[in-house]
Amino acid sequence: MENDLDKVVEEIMSMPNVNGCLIADPQGLCLASKGAAHVDSAGIIVAISEQACKIQPNMKPPTVCLETDKKQCLIQRHGTITGAIFKLKT
Amino acid sequence: MAVLAIFSLPIQLYKTNKEIQEIEVGAIMDKIPDQIGYLVLTEDGAVLESGGELENDERIATIITDLITLSNEVDSVAFGPSENFKKISITFDDHWYIICLSNKKIYVVKRNIHTPLRESNEINV
């Protein structure tokens, strides 16, 4: 299982401008992380995606995008798994 | 009675600062393309102004202020301590919310997403 997950993380990291990637379980525990994404932020990332789901609980979980001047963080939930991608802005 | 009526005249003629501000914000928000609702909140989540589908929507206001509080704690390694988020967007299938902070107020806009026509190759940014 870990091998499959690592392969996905590698694939995401190979995309342009991606400098970090994190995958977390529903309890907020980190399943995989690479690059700038720190293991400790898994809990916060799951909490953010849960909070965003509360806006419209009957709809598909939304994509949350947090932006600074130079970087952005994309968070999306798929089933029970939450993924976060840290990107540099072009 | 006549004297009283004269004194009350200026109050009826001129709008208060708050009313002028509300009209201005409403006019600006109306200019945003595909806007279907907006909220202006204080930092602690109180609704200052609202309109469209988000009119007096305190539920969304609470969710969004909680989301902002959470976002302040995201990864200090990826985002340095001096890097504050300037924009948060929440994208659903057919609409999205854009959240910005300015002048100690939280601005939230709900916008429609038009699904591009199949024959169109344009990418909406």
Side-chain angles (χ1 to χ4, degrees), chain A residues 47-63:
Chain A
I48 287 175
S49 87
E50 267 178 18
Q51 193 68 23
C53 285
K54 282 187 201 165
I55 294 177
Q56 255 135 359
N58 304 324
M59 287 188 82
K60 216 177 88 181
T63 307

Side-chain angles (χ1 to χ4, degrees), chain B residues 16-121:
Chain B
T16 62
N17 279 343
K18 192 175 180 289
E19 280 175 320
I20 293 167
Q21 195 188 352
E22 274 175 27
I23 294 165
E24 280 173 1
V25 170
I28 293 164
M29 292 295 187
D30 286 341
K31 282 183 190 167
I32 300 170
D34 303 320
Q35 181 261 118
I36 48 171
Y38 70 87
L39 277 171
V40 182
L41 315 171
T42 59
E43 279 180 313
D44 52 6
V47 179
L48 288 174
E49 279 148 54
S50 61
E53 285 183 18
L54 299 180
E55 193 159 6
N56 295 321
D57 200 333
E58 298 207 359
R59 189 185 69 91
I60 300 276
T62 319
I63 294 171
I64 283 168
T65 31
D66 287 349
L67 192 72
I68 292 169
T69 316
L70 277 171
S71 73
N72 287 334
E73 295 162 45
V74 170
D75 218 328
S76 54
V77 181
F79 298 98
S82 57
E83 276 185 291
N84 292 320
F85 292 116
K86 62 170 193 177
K87 183 178 141 189
I88 302 175
S89 53
I90 304 164
T91 315
F92 288 89
D93 281 342
D94 57 353
H95 63 277
W96 59 317
Y97 294 83
I98 305 102
I99 306 157
C100 282
L101 263 98
S102 175
N103 194 23
K104 293 194 174 178
K105 287 178 196 159
I106 302 162
Y107 291 84
V108 185
V109 179
K110 184 179 180 181
R111 293 175 72 179
N112 250 335
I113 298 173
H114 293 294
T115 41
L117 295 171
R118 207 174 261 184
E119 55 268 25
S120 161
N121 288 325

